[in-house]
Structures are given as structure tokens and as C-alpha cells.
Amino acid sequence: MPHILRWLLILVLVAPALTACGGNGMSIAPGANTIEISIAYGSEKRAWLEEAVGQFNAAGQKIASGATIRVTATPMGSTDSMNQILNGTIQPTIWSPASRILLPVANDEWGKRNNGATLVDENAPLLVLSPVVIAMWKPMAEALGWPNTPLGWSDLAELAASGKTWADFDRAEWGPIQIGHTHPDYSNSGVAAIIAISYAAAGKTRGLTVADVQNPQVARFMQNIQSGVIHYGESTGFFADQMFNRGPGYLSAAVLYENLVIESYNRDRYPSVSLPVVAIYPKEGTFWSDHPYAVLNAPWVSAEQREAADVFLRYLLDRPQQELALRYGFRPASTDVPVGAPIVAENGVDPQQPQTLLDVPRPDVLAAIRSIWVENKKRVDVMAVLDVSGSMEDEARLEQAKTALRIFIEQLQDDDGFGLTIFSDSATVLTPVSPIGPKRAEILNRIAGLTPRGGTRLLDTTVEAYQEMSATPPGQRIRAVVVLTDGLDNKSQRKAQEVIDLLQRDREGYSIKVFTVAFGGDADVNLLKEIAEATGAKSYVGKPGERGSIERIYQDIATFF
């Protein structure tokens, strides 16, 4: 296989196909004279596009032949959707990532695979705009000197490296200084963050080179910021939800989009926000999240679908839809619609910003940036907790879980910590948390030999794994427990509420995250969701027998590390 960006080749083993749904999520039954087009789009604009697509489909617009256009729309992480298009897993008509940063990257990889062919027009029209910002609680920003003192990436790097806490700013109640950004292998905001960090470290706003990125000062700068990260993740929206719902003790600052800062003032969505949030437009520069609308130059896109895509584009750029986007906190791409409320200071944003925009680097520079990030990103200690009770034999659940767990382990870096606990009538720690590199082959062999038997000691085992992880100091590494089960607990001494209360005691961002997977059978989906949410993690429901279901879940969990 030729050398290519690992960033672009994160293996998407199996992903669900684009679902045929309109803006309201309802299934569309194509008629005899219907032209179907699909769009894979950055999930940041989901609320706007769901409403716009629903209205478009209801209007019954047609192409010249008289065929009625039906649009199916699927929100996805921008980098994830790119990888799936390149791998042929999905075949949309239109691709609308959060930023045009990814367009030359996609073309570069598509050309390598298709004799120099071009996948997208790198000057594709833009739908809406929203700058990438550092979202911070307003009192915290003020404690750092904002708005009189401009803040940026260098301030985050200095804070993270200094070991200071908010007690050094006479606000001990806020705890440690904790920051977050998404995983750049899956999310546009994560890509934008590590590019902007590299520019800031190099002292440039354009013309970044591989030599610049490989300067040791860039690695030190990157490491300093990453040391303050609580975890990564696939979704920018998930970070926003966690920050706004869990409060300043969970996250001090996160790399988000301006429109998400505006959303934090929506009390219907976030009724419990205790402090106002402001958008910090980094003084060293940032990027627009500019949402290009790229019709794919791919063999699966027909001439009629291109025509239909043009009709849909004109609809999205019409004044009513651009005004609708503005109501959702996006800056209109159409110059006919002036920027106004809700993009106002009262919602924590500044319509006059950003003042400094960064150039998109060449693909080889992007590859160098990713390599520096991988070398300096925060490492993880994770304990996998696997149900091997007798019911896991049904539908070959244990065999499917073993396959997914092996893939998960293979994605970890050698110096990431990994442990494995299995449970049925009792729990057994097959290997404690320690660097995976020296023991990877041994663990994979032991997983291959697991067999199902006995009952389900879920709650006690989860608490024991959590307590073992608690013995490691917070902040130095990401700490997580990943629990998979298919049944109801029938062997534990602890009660469910007792476990939830224990997990809820530590609400800081550096707290141990307990991810849960309900994998068919009698698994208590609601209890597993409560366990995950109590720690600021995610819960999942896998479907035994559905190709790729459990692999996809473990892949999503891996994005947090």
C-alpha cells in the first residue's frame, strides 16, 4: 500500500449507509418520477439543514425533465465522512464538510487512488460561515485579562505547562484548568485546532512549511496544550453539550464553533447553564468553518443528480434559508443577508471578529502537523470490562465483541495503558492497566480464548474497575473504563443507585469516564446510559448480528483517546 496520511486512512470497517430521511427524519418513498440525491454534511449545521431539507422536500421542486427532487441528508463528522467517501463506504451526491480545509486533502488522496482525478471543486460554493473559536466561561476569561488583553493559543499553552489551577487566580472553586478539542482524525474542529496551534507555535499566519512544523518548538508548544486536554472525541457538539450541561468544573475552555457559543444562551436547550460563555477569537489567528457545498465528481453521480444538486444549492442560498441559518447562529454566506442577531455581544460573540485568518496548509504540511500531534497528544489509561456470561453465547455475541475489542486494542499507541477485566459470576483481571506495547500480542491471544459461562456481575465489577483507575493521579493521562454487557445484573451486592451516586461524586473533566455498551439480550439500556452520563461519557446500544455494529461503537469510543 502506498504511503498516505494515516489521518486519511483511519479504517472505517463498516458504517451504516446513508439513511433515506428528509429533514424530519421520516422515511422517503421515492415515486416513479423522482430523482434522489443525498448529502453527507458536517453535523454542526444539523438543526438548520434538517429544517431546510424538510421544507425543500415538501415543496416538490423539479428538474427540467419533470422529475421531483428528493433529498436525503446525513449528519457526520467531517473527517469521518471524507474517509468513508474515499473508502467507498458511502456514495453521496454532495459532500458538505464543516470546512474547506478538507477539500484539497480529499482531492490529494482521491487522485492517488484514481489516476490523478479530482473529487471536488476546491472553490465549491459556501453555504454558511462560523469561525472556529475557543469557548470559555466569561468569568474565567476575565480572570485571564479578557477582554482588555487578547487571548489565544499561547495563553492556553502557558497555562497548561505552568501547572497552575484556578486557585492561582483566587478562584479555587473552579478547580483545575481543563481544555478540550475533538479528535482531528474524525472532526473538522480538531483539524482546525492542531493546524492553528502549529501556526501559533511557528509565529506565522500563512506559508507554513514542513520544516516549520518539525521545529522542536512546535512539538513543545503542542505538548503543552495537549497536557491540559481532558479527552478528545468525534463530535464538536458533544463537547458543547458536556461543557454547557456539566459546568465550569468539567471544562474551562473548548475549541468549538461560534454558533455553538450562541446556542449556549438558548435556555430551552441548556436550561442549567450557570455562567455566561464567550467566544475567544485566538489572537494568533483562526479558520472559518465555511461549509462548502461540493458535488462529487464520482462515477456514482449522474447528470440528472448534478442538475438536482444545483437546484438544491440555489434553494439553500436563497434569502429565506440564509435567514433561517442566521437564526441558528450561522453567518450567512449570501451577502444579501446582513449579519445581525443572534450574532451579538449579548450572546458572547463579536460580529467584527475574527481579525486574523490563517491559510490552509498544503497536504504534506497537514501530514507533518498530524504526526506532531500524534507524538504529543495526551495518552490514555483504559480498562476494558467485558461480559463473558453464558448469555453472551447467544447470537455469537462474545465472538463479535472479541473481534471489535481486538480492533480497538490495535488502534492504541504502544505507550497507552490498557487493562482487561472479564466478568460472569465473578470478576477476573486478566491484565492490569499498563503500557500496551510489550503485551499487545499476549492480550490478543488471551481474548481469542475467552468463552461464555455463568451469570452477570455487572455493577460490582464496574465499580471495582472504576476504583482501580482512581488510584492513578488525575490530569496526567486520560482515564477511562469501557464496559460491555448483554444482560441484567444478577450477581452484584451493590444496588444501581448506589453505583450512580458513587460515579457522580467526581464531576471534573479529568474524572474517569465510564463508557457503556448494551449489546443485545436483556441489557438495561437506561441503567447503562445513567452510568455513562454520570461520568461525562457516552453510552451505546449495539445490535448483535448487524454487520459492523459493535466495531463501529468501539471505533467511536477510540475517538475520545
Side-chain angles (χ1 to χ4, degrees):
M1 179 181 292
H3 174 70
I4 47 181
L5 291 176
R6 182 182 172 200
W7 185 355
L8 306 179
L9 287 183
I10 294 298
L11 180 59
V12 181
L13 287 165
V14 180
L18 286 171
T19 52
C21 64
N24 57 6
M26 297 297 289
S27 205
I28 296 170
N33 193 24
T34 299
I35 181 71
E36 298 279 339
I37 61 173
S38 58
I39 177 171
Y41 67 91
S43 56
E44 302 80 12
K45 53 184 178 286
R46 179 173 188 164
W48 171 56
L49 271 188
E50 282 188 344
E51 186 169 345
V53 169
Q55 293 173 358
F56 180 86
N57 285 337
Q61 295 208 35
K62 303 178 186 298
I63 59 174
S65 68
T68 301
I69 305 168
R70 288 290 183 178
V71 178
T72 66
T74 301
M76 304 180 71
S78 294
T79 312
D80 188 21
S81 62
M82 177 182 69
N83 289 330
Q84 293 197 46
I85 291 169
L86 292 171
N87 291 330
T89 309
I90 61 172
Q91 296 185 339
T93 314
I94 306 149
W95 180 43
S96 182
S99 170
R100 72 170 99 195
I101 288 174
L102 295 178
L103 300 187
V105 178
N107 273 341
D108 184 67
E109 181 54 32
W110 183 265
K112 291 176 183 176
R113 302 183 187 193
N114 295 276
N115 299 316
T118 299
L119 178 65
V120 294
D121 178 2
E122 294 181 16
N123 294 311
L126 309 178
L127 295 179
V128 290
L129 302 170
S130 190
V132 177
V133 301
I134 301 169
M136 186 176 288
W137 301 100
K138 186 177 180 180
M140 291 183 176
E142 290 171 337
L144 299 178
W146 180 91
N148 296 327
T149 301
L151 301 178
W153 306 108
S154 58
D155 298 286
L156 291 186
E158 182 180 346
L159 281 171
S162 70
K164 290 181 178 179
T165 70
W166 288 113
D168 293 292
F169 298 88
D170 297 322
R171 299 304 299 262
E173 68 273 20
W174 292 340
I177 297 171
Q178 304 172 116
I179 60 180
H181 69 71
T182 56
H183 198 301
D185 284 344
Y186 298 88
S187 168
N188 172 75
S189 66
V191 175
I194 65 171
I195 298 172
I197 290 166
S198 299
Y199 264 121
K204 287 186 167 185
T205 59
R206 61 194 68 250
L208 196 66
T209 66
V210 171
D212 291 331
V213 175
Q214 293 176 343
N215 187 312
Q217 73 181 21
V218 174
R220 287 193 297 271
F221 194 98
M222 182 73 73
Q223 184 179 56
N224 287 343
I225 289 185
Q226 300 306 310
S227 69
V229 167
I230 62 167
H231 61 70
Y232 303 101
E234 183 179 21
S235 167
T236 312
F238 178 80
F239 259 112
D241 287 343
Q242 293 296 91
M243 180 173 178
F244 304 151
N245 286 325
R246 298 178 71 86
Y250 186 82
L251 263 175
S252 310
V255 180
L256 304 179
Y257 301 112
E258 181 186 67
N259 65 291
L260 295 175
V261 173
I262 293 169
E263 277 193 21
S264 73
Y265 289 80
N266 182 340
R267 291 298 167 263
D268 290 332
R269 177 157 187 174
Y270 299 112
S272 303
V273 172
S274 58
L275 296 173
V277 181
V278 294
I280 304 297
Y281 303 85
K283 61 188 179 185
E284 302 93 343
T286 189
F287 292 97
W288 284 113
S289 176
D290 47 16
H291 300 275
Y293 182 96
V295 181
L296 300 186
N297 298 315
W300 59 80
V301 179
S302 68
E304 279 196 328
Q305 287 175 318
R306 289 185 176 283
E307 182 184 351
D310 287 342
V311 174
F312 184 48
L313 172 62
R314 290 195 296 272
Y315 173 83
L316 292 177
L317 293 179
D318 279 349
R319 189 180 186 97
Q321 284 63 248
Q322 291 288 291
E323 290 176 339
L324 177 65
L326 179 60
R327 290 201 293 274
Y328 281 110
F330 291 100
R331 303 189 189 202
S334 171
T335 56
D336 294 336
V337 180
V339 174
I343 302 174
V344 292
E346 290 77 9
N347 288 327
V349 299
D350 183 352
Q352 303 305 313
Q353 293 283 357
Q355 294 295 316
T356 303
L357 292 171
L358 305 173
D359 271 0
V360 177
R362 300 187 312 271
D364 62 327
V365 180
L366 293 176
I369 290 171
R370 186 193 179 278
S371 294
I372 293 297
W373 174 74
V374 168
E375 292 169 9
N376 294 281
K377 77 182 186 74
K378 200 161 196 176
R379 295 308 192 232
V380 65
D381 283 336
V382 57
M383 173 63 83
V385 177
L386 181 62
D387 184 347
V388 294
S389 61
S391 59
M392 286 290 285
E393 185 173 10
D394 298 344
E395 303 176 276
R397 292 172 198 154
L398 182 56
E399 292 305 310
Q400 295 173 63
K402 285 157 59 175
T403 298
L405 185 56
R406 285 195 294 267
I407 294 165
F408 176 81
I409 290 170
E410 287 165 356
Q411 293 186 42
L412 296 174
Q413 302 292 314
D414 283 349
D415 52 351
D416 284 329
F418 179 81
L420 177 61
T421 298
I422 59 172
F423 69 93
S424 53
D425 291 335
S426 60
T428 302
V429 178
L430 293 186
T431 179
V433 174
S434 61
I436 184 68
K439 64 181 184 180
R440 196 187 305 262
E442 177 192 352
I443 291 174
L444 293 174
N445 285 335
R446 298 198 70 175
I447 289 172
L450 295 177
T451 57
R453 62 173 64 86
T456 306
R457 186 181 180 270
L458 169 65
L459 293 173
D460 285 352
T461 307
T462 299
V463 170
E464 288 161 5
Y466 180 86
Q467 291 174 335
E468 180 180 337
M469 295 298 295
S470 298
T472 61
Q476 295 179 7
R477 296 166 76 91
I478 299 168
R479 299 178 298 166
V481 177
V482 180
V483 181
L484 181 145
T485 185
D486 76 333
L488 295 172
D489 191 308
N490 55 20
K491 293 292 180 180
S492 291
Q493 299 299 311
R494 294 175 177 84
K495 302 300 183 185
Q497 192 57 52
E498 179 185 349
V499 173
I500 300 299
D501 291 344
L502 171 67
L503 298 177
Q504 284 180 331
R505 290 176 191 167
D506 187 358
R507 294 180 60 84
E508 287 186 353
Y510 288 137
S511 64
I512 300 157
K513 306 297 181 284
V514 181
F515 297 87
T516 59
V517 183
F519 195 41
D522 297 320
D524 188 334
V525 173
N526 290 331
L527 171 60
L528 293 171
K529 183 178 181 182
E530 284 188 78
I531 289 172
E533 290 183 347
T535 67
K538 289 179 71 173
S539 62
Y540 302 84
V541 178
K543 298 179 180 179
E546 181 178 298
R547 188 166 176 261
S549 170
I550 192 64
E551 290 92 339
R552 178 70 175 171
I553 287 171
Y554 273 99
Q555 180 194 348
D556 189 83
I557 293 171
T559 69
F560 285 82
F561 319 136

